[in-house]
């Protein structure tokens, strides 16, 4: 296969974990005889630093011409005081919208050997395998009107969802559940919000098309509690944009580290793949970042955008093998007698496994 992948390393640890993902993609290309053309573009704070907007035109054009997009991370506290359109985050919000990538898939599973790596008891996390299906191009993130009142004394955002937006993300959740545990938990705040009542009604009606999938509903506050106390009760969690942002970070804590989580943003023109962890400026440039979320995102890219199933599985098997050999970055609980390793060493261990 000959495929073009747009690389958007971005900010903080974004470039480091992008290097790790590129190493994995190159190893896959070598081993399986593919050609991946990797084109790198500025995004986020690194674009702003270069005197460009957060999502430069050339970056968007490169993304639209690619077969898949890999993004490291965006975000840099030095832009905190800037208006919304001059912040690194504006890039990713615009990119999601331009692509029409309305479905964000965030799988969180406990890798064998990492059961005792998080703050929960091993017997509680054993076997956890959750897929958060987050609506990505609607809700409070995009709803109009939004703004700050002229006197600066109040500010407002709008949560808005249409039946069509709810249906299309619910379809993704039900279809995903069919290939997994056949259970969808739809998460909302229907006891308070109109958008959530429409969400619940729409999802309930749509469920009739999926008699083989069991549907449950939970309020987001209850779900936040239950995810942390009984995570194995979940298969697919279907939820709106902001709730999904929060619950997917929470699922990172449950499986041991946010650094482990990959994601895919699909449903639009071109798939966008990125680790969930963000730019982590506090550890940037220190060879501490866990590259597994990024390498796992590369696996999702191979499977979902390029339809290279065996290649994706080879990457995931390589991650498992490196963990099995006792490789641990500092965010993971070390194996007795084995000191933690750096980001590069972890990536190399995984890449070696892909090549072997
Ligand atoms: C994420 C991030 C983004 C979001 C930020 C960087 C805009 O937190 O992908 O979860 O809120 O969606
Ligand atoms: Mn987030």
């Amino acid at each position: 296969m000959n495929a073009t992948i747009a690389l958007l390393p971005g900010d903080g640890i974004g470039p480091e974990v992008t290097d790790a993902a590129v190493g994995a993609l190159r190893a896959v290309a070598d081993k399986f005889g593919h050609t991946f053309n990797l084109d790198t573009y500025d995004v986020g704070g690194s674009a702003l630093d270069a005197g460009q907007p957060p999502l430069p035109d050339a970056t968007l054009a490169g993304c639209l011409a690619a077969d898949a997009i890999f993004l490291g991370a965006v975000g840099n506290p030095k832009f905190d005081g800037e208006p919304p359109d001059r912040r690194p985050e504006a890039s990713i919000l615009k990119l999601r919208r331009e692509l029409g990538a309305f479905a964000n898939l965030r799988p969180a599973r406990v890798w064998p050997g990492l059961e005792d790596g998080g703050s929960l008891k091993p017997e509680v996390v054993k076997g956890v395998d959750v897929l958060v299906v987050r609506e990505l191009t609607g809700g409070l993130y995009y709803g109009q009107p939004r703004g700050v009142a002229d006197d600066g004394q109040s500010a407002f955002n709008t949560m808005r969802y249409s039946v069509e937006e709810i249906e299309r993300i619910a379809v993704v959740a039900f279809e995903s559940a069919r290939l997994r545990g056949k259970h969808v938990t739809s998460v909302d705040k229907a006891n308070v919000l109109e958008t959530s009542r429409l969400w619940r009604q729409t999802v309930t009606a749509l469920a009739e098309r999926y008699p083989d999938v069991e549907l449950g509903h939970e309020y987001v506050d209850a779900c936040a509690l239950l995810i942390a106390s009984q995570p194995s009760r979940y298969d697919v969690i279907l939820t709106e944009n902001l709730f999904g942002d929060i619950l997917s970070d929470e699922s990172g804590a449950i499986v041991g580290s946010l650094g482990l989580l990959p994601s895919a943003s699909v449903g639009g023109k071109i798939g966008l793949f990125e680790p969930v962890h963000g730019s982590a400026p506090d550890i940037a440039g220190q060879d501490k970042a866990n590259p597994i979320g990024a390498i796992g995102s590369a696996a999702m890219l191979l499977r979902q955008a390029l339809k290279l199933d065996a290649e994706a599985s080879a990457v995931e098997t390589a991650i498992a093998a490196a963990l099995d050999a006792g490789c641990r970055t500092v965010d993971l609980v070390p194996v007795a007698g084995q000191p933690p390793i750096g980001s590069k060493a972890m990536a190399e261990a995984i890449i070696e496994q892909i090549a072997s």
Side-chain angles (χ1 to χ4, degrees), residues 74 89 92-93 96 106 134 141 245 274 276:
V74 292
E89 291 80 1
I92 182 85
L93 299 178
R96 289 169 178 169
R106 298 190 158 181
R134 169 188 176 194
Y141 276 58
D245 181 45
E274 56 177 309
V276 176

Side-chain angles (χ1 to χ4, degrees), residues 26 34 144 206 213 225:
R26 291 221 165 98
H34 302 301
Q144 295 290 344
L206 191 99
V213 178
L225 174 83

